[in-house]
Amino acid sequence: MTRIRLEYHGHVAYITLDHPPANTWTLASLKAFLQMMVELDGRPDVVALVIRGAGEKFFCAGADLKMFADGSLAHAREVAEAFGHAFEALARFHGVSIAAINGYAMGGGLEVALACDIRIAEQQAKLGLPEASVGLLPCAGGTQRLTELVGPGWAKRMILCGEKVSATLAYEMGLVEGVVTEGHAWEAAQQMAQLVERQSPSALRACKQLINQGRSTHRDAALPLERSLFLALFDDANQREGVAAFLEKRAPRWRYDQSKPKE
C-alpha cells in the first residue's frame, strides 16, 4: 500500500501523504510519487499542485528508517535514487507547486517541501533536517535547496547542529513564504492555487523557467532569454486572449493545450 493520493479539482492537483502516524516515505510511496509527477507532466491543463500531509500533527517526518535497518548498500542506493528522481521531478513540474506544511516537516518531509515553489506553514509546525543525528545526510536535495533559500549559515545550523526551527523563524529566514494559524495551511494553499489559475498557463511556464534559470545562470545570460521568451508569447493564443480580456473587462478564457514558448 503506497499511502499517497492524487486528486484533481479544476486545474489544480492535490497530493496527500497519508502514511500514519507520521506520513513517512517508503520506497513504494516514493515510486508512486514519481509516477504521479510523470502523470502531471502530461497534463498541461494542470497549472498548480498542492502537497499536504494527512492528519493534524505531521506534514511528513521523512524516510521510514526501517528501510535502512539492515545496512544494505544496494537498498540504500535504491532509496536514495528514488528520493532524487521523485523530488527532481517535482522541482521540474511545469506548474506552481505549493507545500501546505500542517505539522512536523523533518528530513525527507522538509526536502519535498524544499522542492516546491512555495511553502506555507502552520504556526505550530517544526522544520528540520536531522539526518546526521542517525548517521545519515539529506540526500534528496536538502543540502543544496536549503542553502539556496536560507544561506550557508542557517543551513549549517539546521544540518550540522540538527536545529529544528519554528514556522515563525522559518518565515524570517526565508524558508517558508507564509505562516498561518493552526489548521489553515490547506485553505491558504488552495487560495494561492486559485490565484495561479487566473494566470496564463503559457506565461506561467515561461516565468517559472526564467526564475529557475536565473538561479543557476549569470544575469547577463538570463536577461536576453527573458526578452526572447517575452516575444515568443506573441505566437501564443493566450497572449491575445489575455490582452483582449483585459480590454473587454472580462475574465480570460485560457487555452491549456499550448506548448511552452520557444526559446
Side-chain angles (χ1 to χ4, degrees), residues 214-227:
R215 289 151 48 189
S216 58
T217 304
H218 193 276
R219 185 179 297 175
D220 290 344
L223 289 174
L225 177 60
E226 185 179 64
R227 295 190 291 273

Side-chain angles (χ1 to χ4, degrees), residues 7-260:
E7 303 167 277
Y8 296 98
H9 296 282
H11 298 289
V12 182
Y14 297 91
I15 290 179
T16 303
L17 310 178
D18 189 5
H19 185 192
N23 300 328
T24 48
W25 291 107
T26 64
L27 185 57
S29 64
L30 288 167
K31 290 181 177 180
F33 187 90
L34 176 59
Q35 289 306 308
M36 290 174 183
M37 295 311 305
V38 170
E39 179 178 326
L40 288 170
D41 195 45
R43 293 281 304 264
D45 59 308
V46 175
V47 297
L49 166 65
V50 177
I51 301 176
R52 68 169 175 176
E56 299 178 355
K57 187 175 181 180
F58 290 93
F59 171 69
C60 175
D64 185 342
L65 291 182
K66 295 176 183 176
M67 292 190 291
F68 308 119
D70 62 2
S72 168
L73 181 60
H75 185 62
R77 180 179 292 110
E78 184 180 15
V79 172
E81 290 178 350
F83 265 115
H85 293 157
F87 295 175
E88 285 157 23
L90 170 60
R92 291 192 303 268
F93 172 55
H94 60 262
V96 179
S97 52
I98 306 166
I101 304 173
N102 57 306
Y104 284 93
M106 297 292 155
L110 179 54
E111 286 177 298
V112 70
L114 289 170
C116 290
D117 297 310
I118 298 168
R119 289 150 292 280
I120 300 172
E122 293 181 8
Q123 60 187 12
Q124 83 285 359
K126 297 290 184 182
L127 301 87
L129 292 176
E131 285 88 342
S133 66
V134 293
L136 298 170
L137 61 79
C139 71
T143 62
Q144 304 305 300
R145 293 191 178 104
L146 179 64
T147 303
E148 184 177 52
L149 281 173
V150 305
W154 269 112
K156 288 175 181 177
R157 286 182 63 166
M158 292 181 67
I159 297 172
L160 305 184
C161 302
E163 286 195 42
K164 300 176 181 63
V165 300
S166 66
T168 300
L169 179 54
Y171 178 75
E172 293 172 356
M173 293 161 54
L175 176 51
V176 302
E177 285 69 44
V179 178
V180 296
T181 56
E182 185 171 354
H184 287 85
W186 179 238
E187 178 185 357
Q190 286 180 303
Q191 291 174 350
M192 187 165 291
Q194 289 168 2
L195 294 176
V196 174
E197 285 187 285
R198 299 179 186 176
Q199 316 306 314
S200 159
S202 309
L204 278 176
R205 287 173 178 262
C207 289
K208 181 168 177 178
Q209 178 185 342
L210 286 164
I211 293 169
N212 288 342
Q213 184 148 342
R215 289 151 48 189
S216 58
T217 304
H218 193 276
R219 185 179 297 175
D220 290 344
L223 289 174
L225 177 60
E226 185 179 64
R227 295 190 291 273
S228 176
L229 291 182
F230 171 79
L231 295 175
L233 289 173
F234 281 79
D235 290 330
D236 187 279
N238 283 326
Q239 179 274 327
R240 294 184 291 278
E241 169 61 14
V243 172
F246 177 82
L247 294 176
E248 295 166 14
K249 296 180 172 55
R250 59 173 175 81
R253 296 182 289 270
W254 302 125
R255 289 182 55 181
Y256 294 90
D257 58 348
Q258 304 294 296
S259 60
K260 64 182 180 180

